[in-house]
Amino acid sequence: MKDLPTIRGRRYIASLVAEGEHSRQDFKLTIDNAHKIAHSVSAFANAEGGRLLIGVKDNGTIAGVRDEEDVYVVEQAARMLCSPSVEVEFTAYSVATNTVVIQASIPRALCKPVRCKEADGRWRAYYRVADENIVAHPLMVRAWESQSPIQFRLDATVERLMAFLDANPEGVDNRSIAIAMEMSQRRADNLTVNLIRSGLITFKYKAPNFLLIRNNENPE
C-alpha cells in the first residue's frame, strides 16, 4: 500500500477470520459504495465499536485488497457521510505474497447517535446486531440524544411497567406498553425513554423488530 505501512499479520488475520462475522466484525471484499459503508460505520459506532476486514469475502476467504481507494472510500463515509464524523483507524496486514488485508477499526461513539446520510439525502442512525446493520428504533435514538443517565423513582407507574415486562420476558413493543399502561402513546414513549436512560430497561432485536425488555445487567 502506498500510504499505509504494511506489517506482517498472517496468523492475526487468520484468527480474526475464524471468528466469522459478528457484532464487532464485518468482512468486505471491496468498498465500492460510500453510503452503504456509512451504514456499517454508524452501526458499529452506535453499538460497541467494531472492525471491517477489507479484502475478505463473505465466506471468509482471504482474497486481499484489490484497490487502494477502498481506504479513501471508508474515510469519506466516516468523515463526510456520518454526523458526528467518526475517526477510523486503518492497519494494513500482509498475509501472503502480494496479499494485503486492511483492518478498519471503528470506535464506539462517545456522542450518540451517529447518523449517516442515505443516498436519498435522509439521515438515519444504525445499530449493530449480530452480523447485521439495523436502523435504530426511534426511542433508542431519543435516549441517545438525552446523553447522560438519570436516576428514576420507582413509583406505582414504573412498578406496573416493570411487572408487565417481567410477564413478557421475550419483549414488547412500545405500542403494547401504551395499551397495557392505559396511557397515551406519547406519555408511554416518554416514560420508556426515561427508563432506558436510567438503565432499567433496554432494547433487544428480534427480527424484524426492536423489543423492550427489563435490563438485568448493571447499567453502565
Side-chain angles (χ1 to χ4, degrees):
M1 309 297 293
K2 292 180 180 178
D3 302 319
L4 195 62
T6 302
I7 61 178
R8 295 169 61 182
R10 180 178 62 84
R11 292 183 179 179
Y12 172 69
I13 293 299
S15 69
L16 295 185
V17 170
E19 296 177 7
E21 294 181 308
H22 52 70
S23 62
R24 301 193 66 177
Q25 180 166 279
D26 203 1
F27 299 157
K28 296 292 181 184
L29 177 59
T30 59
I31 306 292
D32 55 9
N33 187 310
H35 287 285
K36 287 185 177 180
I37 208 64
H39 293 176
S40 294
V41 175
S42 169
F44 281 129
N46 286 326
E48 298 300 317
R51 57 182 169 261
L52 304 173
L53 293 184
I54 307 170
V56 179
K57 296 181 179 180
D58 288 342
N59 64 5
T61 300
I62 300 174
V65 175
R66 299 181 178 183
D67 191 338
E68 294 182 4
E69 290 297 317
D70 287 350
V71 169
Y72 303 110
V73 176
V74 175
E75 285 185 329
Q76 178 189 29
R79 293 181 179 178
M80 301 179 66
L81 298 180
C82 287
S83 179
S85 62
V86 178
E87 289 297 322
V88 180
E89 180 180 337
F90 298 93
T91 308
Y93 293 95
S94 173
V95 296
T97 303
N98 298 322
T99 302
V100 172
V101 170
I102 295 177
Q103 175 179 281
S105 299
I106 300 158
R108 178 182 181 179
L110 297 178
C111 183
K112 301 178 185 178
V114 173
R115 293 181 172 89
C116 63
K117 189 175 184 180
E118 305 280 13
D120 61 8
R122 290 182 293 178
W123 290 84
R124 286 197 182 99
Y126 283 78
Y127 190 75
R128 186 74 176 180
V129 180
D131 60 351
E132 295 185 80
N133 303 322
I134 310 295
V135 176
H137 192 284
L139 296 186
M140 293 176 70
V141 175
R142 281 183 55 186
W144 289 335
E145 288 173 334
S146 301
Q147 292 300 314
S148 59
I150 60 173
Q151 296 294 323
F152 211 75
R153 187 166 57 90
L154 292 176
D155 59 16
T157 300
V158 174
E159 289 178 353
R160 281 180 58 209
L161 176 52
M162 302 307 284
F164 176 60
L165 293 177
D166 285 340
N168 295 274
E170 293 303 308
V172 299
D173 62 28
N174 57 314
R175 289 167 293 185
S176 298
I177 288 178
I179 294 170
M181 300 297 292
E182 299 179 322
M183 61 177 59
S184 70
Q185 190 64 62
R186 180 177 180 180
R187 184 183 172 199
D189 287 350
N190 289 340
L191 175 61
T192 298
V193 168
N194 284 332
L195 288 172
I196 293 171
R197 291 177 61 198
S198 72
L200 291 175
I201 68 175
T202 189
F203 276 102
K204 78 168 184 178
Y205 186 72
K206 187 175 182 180
N209 301 308
F210 278 103
L211 299 177
L212 289 154
I213 60 172
R214 186 163 187 158
N215 187 5
N216 293 317
E217 298 180 359
N218 292 325
E220 295 180 51

